[in-house]
Amino acid sequence: MYNSSILKIKIFTLLRICAVFLTLATFSIPAFSQEKHEESAEKPFEPSEVILEHIADSHSLHVWNTTAIPLPVILYTDKGLEVFSSSHFEHGHADYTGKYYTYRLVEDKVKIVGANNILADSATVWKWNSSLIDFSITRNVASMWMGMIVLLVIFFSVSSAYKKRSGKAPKGLQSFMEPLILFVRDDIARPNIGYKYQRFMPLLLTVFFFIWVNNLIGLVPFFPGGANLTGNIAVTLVLSVITLIVVNLNGNKHYWAHIFIPADVPVWIWPLWWVIELVGIISKPFALMIRLFANITAGHIIVLSLISLIFVFKSMGIAPVSVAFVIFMDVLELLVAALQAFIFTLLTALFIGGAIEEHHH
């Protein structure tokens, strides 16, 4: 009797968990089914287009089906500043004539429409264009701000709790955050940096929780989640550059002597040694950037590909298999979200520790 009731409770709990995951998985389906059915009912489904659209940045926040929240478009042109709502583009189906130019949204990129319908791209890192510099608030920027607000609320609440409950056992959110903070301190900072770890704790805590929280927000398949922030190469680039700057600015004389005046290396090999060491300085943060970007983006692509199978085969018979694998991947992505935050923080601490390590005779 007792065992039977426990079994019923466990089965009921399992059913509820499955129901929640199935509900979350179905949130993505309307977004796939709305691919211009009105224009052409016979147009073949292109999974690559849909997947790339979902993992890319956007000028609006998708809420549900065709409902989206437009974001501000901020453009600096050679004639002046222009600010307007992305709703004027009507999801890329209409041009907008501003004060100075006419603009068009092509694959979520704002372009100037010139004479004879010639399009001028906005400036990028690789191709500069002073006529159009895009400072728009995109979905990734909005998601980043959202993550920052979450972090500020959490840490101000925890800080206030420590002040009010000084000398007492942690309680509530404080009791959840304290083991995580101690984990970063005792298992990441201390072993890899040494006795100077306290100086770098703010950086390591910020990097760890920023990556983890934004990874989790990206896993939420409905508003306000769904942004691929940490799968954006620009975001991981900035994080890795911060690591590069901190490591090399804090490098002691032994660190730089090892690079430029190695004691155990013949002088005639020094030029080659310098090249190897300088490549190593750049490759370390580069590896951080690519690792985070590739793992997060790959996870999103796999989940979207599995959902796409339903529309590729045009059969609901494939749906149970597809949804089952999506659920499995979502659970795996929860682990990856924390694991990538841990790896990035661990390697950052390791690089800092190597730069400030005292010389051993």
Side-chain angles (χ1 to χ4, degrees), residues 151 155 176-177 179-185 188 200-216 230 239 292 337-346 348:
L151 288 175
F155 280 102
F176 174 77
M177 293 298 296
L180 297 174
I181 295 171
L182 292 178
F183 169 74
V184 174
R185 186 192 71 180
I188 297 178
F200 302 98
M201 276 298 292
L203 171 67
L204 297 178
L205 287 172
T206 302
V207 168
F208 179 82
F209 285 103
F210 176 83
I211 294 174
W212 190 25
V213 167
N214 283 289
N215 283 349
L216 294 177
T230 45
L239 290 172
L292 180 59
L339 186 62
Q340 289 304 315
F342 167 71
I343 291 173
F344 197 103
T345 311
L346 176 67
T348 299

Side-chain angles (χ1 to χ4, degrees), residues 10 14 31 43 66 74 91 102 104 135 153 161 165 167 180 189 197-198 254 273 302 309 326 330-331 353 358:
K10 288 183 177 179
L14 183 61
K43 182 181 178 180
T66 57
I74 306 170
H91 302 287
T102 298
R104 181 178 298 171
F135 293 105
V153 170
R165 299 177 52 81
L180 297 174
Y197 75 93
Q198 290 185 345
H254 305 295
W273 180 270
I302 291 171
L309 290 176
V326 168
D330 281 339
V331 174
E358 297 297 335

Side-chain angles (χ1 to χ4, degrees), residues 113-131:
V113 182
N116 299 323
N117 210 31
I118 297 175
L119 301 178
D121 295 332
S122 58
T124 64
V125 176
W126 316 112
K127 186 179 180 182
W128 184 255
N129 180 11
S130 59
S131 299

